[in-house]
Amino acid sequence: MNRIQNLIRHQKENRNIYSGIDSLPSGKAQGGITKGCLVLPGGGWRGLYTQGALDALMISEINLQTVVGVSAGALAGVGYLSRQIGYTARINLTYRHDQRYCGARAALTDHGITGFSFLFNQIMKKKCPFDLESFYDPDRRYIAVATNLETGRPVYFERGKCRIFRAMQASATVPYISRPVLIDNEPYLDGGMSVHVPYDWAKKEGFDKIVVILTRDVNFRSNPGRITTAMRKTYKDYPKLMETMEREPGEYNDCLDRIEADVQAGRTFRIAPSSPVRISRFEGNMEKLGELYHQGFDDTMKAIPELRRYLGLPDAENCTDSQECLPD
């Protein structure tokens, strides 16, 4: 009887955790660092696709030197920089319905929908220890993009040149329902308010190899939106932000078109959902989120041979000595 009661209690305690949580990959990514830039857009809980893709890259020993991320992409990128396979997915597929991480209790402590205090101080320090040493590898770069409310423009915060976890919080702080994050007395919010895909930054930096992971299928384009009365009321003190938000949907579509052209020309490598993503920005169905993670993982694993050729890496099946497989 006690065994049955324990099973029932366990099921109740874990009803909001992805059923396949124990099957997620784990371990440390091996291999050297590959020159190039990894571009990670936002998308809320669609970021599970990104997390699956990143785990596939790490398992395949593809560790790109630079990561630039917006919002959910910025958060996903930290596990990639720390070389912890399955790290960000395990957190999100475990704590999605924990009110300290996402919900009312988070709003009380952090004045927003995401509990960054719980994430940084409890999850990453105690429950799921984060590898800070790997994250701060001086041979790699990490950039989190946030929107400055005063100027309405994106700001690219680079690890080693700022309080990076503060910048990461700003990058992923959901607008409208969250208090702005202050950095050097300037108010910041979600990087996606000013740029969805930080592709142009990678181009301006002059990277020869750019890998973009999208959370929408290649045919997706944004519908032009309009600034609502509620939005104008919320950000009435930031007229430049309003101007940016009016332009952003069109700029987003233009960026997707530029990525498409560069992919066709062989200048850029793109990983995108093989079928349209049907979950909402604030999806709460854990099985759907788990399926999206696996879609990102599977899509990327199928693309690995072509990606290795694009990056100038030897085919995995041709590597007989582990040292010969490491990039310069």
Side-chain angles (χ1 to χ4, degrees):
M1 186 66 177
N2 288 337
R3 184 177 180 181
I4 295 176
Q5 290 175 334
N6 287 337
L7 177 61
I8 293 173
R9 185 176 69 251
H10 178 78
Q11 289 175 333
K12 288 182 177 180
E13 289 174 349
N14 292 279
R15 64 185 183 278
N16 290 325
I17 296 175
Y18 172 51
S19 63
I21 193 72
D22 293 333
S23 66
L24 295 181
S26 60
K28 293 287 290 186
Q30 303 300 311
I33 299 171
T34 299
K35 293 181 180 179
C37 183
L38 182 62
V39 177
L40 306 177
W45 291 96
R46 292 196 306 273
L48 264 298
Y49 181 90
T50 304
Q51 292 157 37
L54 295 179
D55 285 347
L57 292 181
M58 286 191 283
I59 286 174
S60 303
E61 299 186 8
I62 297 177
N63 307 299
L64 287 160
Q65 187 265 342
T66 298
V67 176
V68 56
V70 169
S71 194
L75 293 181
V78 299
Y80 184 71
L81 263 291
S82 70
R83 292 177 175 254
Q84 291 173 275
I85 300 169
Y87 185 79
T88 53
R90 188 165 282 104
I91 289 174
N92 285 313
L93 292 174
T94 299
Y95 294 100
R96 166 66 182 87
H97 290 287
D98 190 314
Q99 292 293 304
R100 296 168 296 177
Y101 180 55
C102 181
R105 289 184 64 181
L108 290 175
T109 57
D110 292 89
H111 308 287
I113 195 171
T114 304
F116 289 98
S117 297
F118 181 63
L119 173 63
F120 295 152
N121 298 322
Q122 294 296 319
I123 296 178
M124 296 177 71
K125 286 186 177 180
K126 300 175 182 180
K127 300 177 183 295
C128 302
F130 183 64
D131 188 343
L132 278 170
E133 182 177 358
S134 294
F135 177 72
Y136 280 104
D137 182 348
D139 292 328
R140 301 181 81 181
R141 297 174 67 191
Y142 169 80
I143 297 90
V145 189
T147 300
N148 183 304
L149 303 191
E150 296 283 0
T151 66
R153 304 309 302 163
V155 176
Y156 297 83
F157 291 98
E158 184 163 356
R159 186 209 63 198
K161 300 179 180 180
C162 66
R163 295 173 58 192
I164 192 59
F165 283 92
R166 186 72 171 172
M168 192 189 309
Q169 177 178 348
S171 178
T173 294
V174 179
Y176 311 119
I177 56 177
S178 305
R179 179 183 296 179
V181 176
L182 293 179
I183 300 176
D184 296 329
N185 294 318
E186 294 282 333
Y188 290 88
L189 279 174
D190 192 339
M193 298 175 78
S194 56
V195 59
H196 267 77
V197 186
Y199 181 65
D200 290 337
W201 180 89
K203 295 282 286 186
K204 290 177 181 177
E205 288 287 303
F207 289 99
D208 292 329
K209 301 296 183 181
I210 300 176
V211 179
V212 181
I213 299 177
L214 300 178
T215 60
R216 297 283 199 179
D217 64 277
V218 297
N219 295 316
F220 174 83
R221 292 297 182 272
S222 179
N223 293 321
R226 64 184 183 87
I227 303 300
T228 65
T229 301
M231 293 162 66
R232 291 188 184 281
K233 183 177 180 180
T234 302
Y235 297 113
K236 59 183 174 59
D237 295 329
Y238 304 110
K240 292 183 178 179
L241 176 67
M242 291 292 98
E243 294 173 5
T244 295
M245 293 176 67
E246 287 180 323
R247 295 192 307 265
E248 204 284 327
E251 292 180 349
Y252 175 36
N253 290 341
D254 290 343
C255 180
L256 293 176
D257 290 342
R258 289 194 296 276
I259 291 172
E260 174 67 26
D262 285 344
V263 168
Q264 295 302 320
R267 292 187 291 266
T268 295
F269 194 93
R270 177 185 57 202
I271 297 170
S274 51
S275 59
V277 174
R278 303 298 187 189
I279 72 165
S280 67
R281 181 178 175 83
F282 299 106
E283 182 65 59
N285 185 308
M286 300 307 293
E287 300 312 301
K288 287 185 178 180
L289 292 176
E291 290 172 3
L292 184 59
Y293 166 86
H294 285 292
Q295 183 181 2
F297 185 92
D298 293 343
D299 285 350
T300 304
M301 290 302 292
K302 291 176 183 176
I304 290 297
E306 185 180 353
L307 175 58
R308 294 186 70 88
R309 289 191 289 272
Y310 168 77
L311 294 172
L313 300 175
D315 293 339
E317 60 268 24
N318 294 332
C319 294
T320 57
D321 182 273
S322 61
Q323 293 302 312
E324 293 178 359
C325 296
L326 301 183
D328 293 335

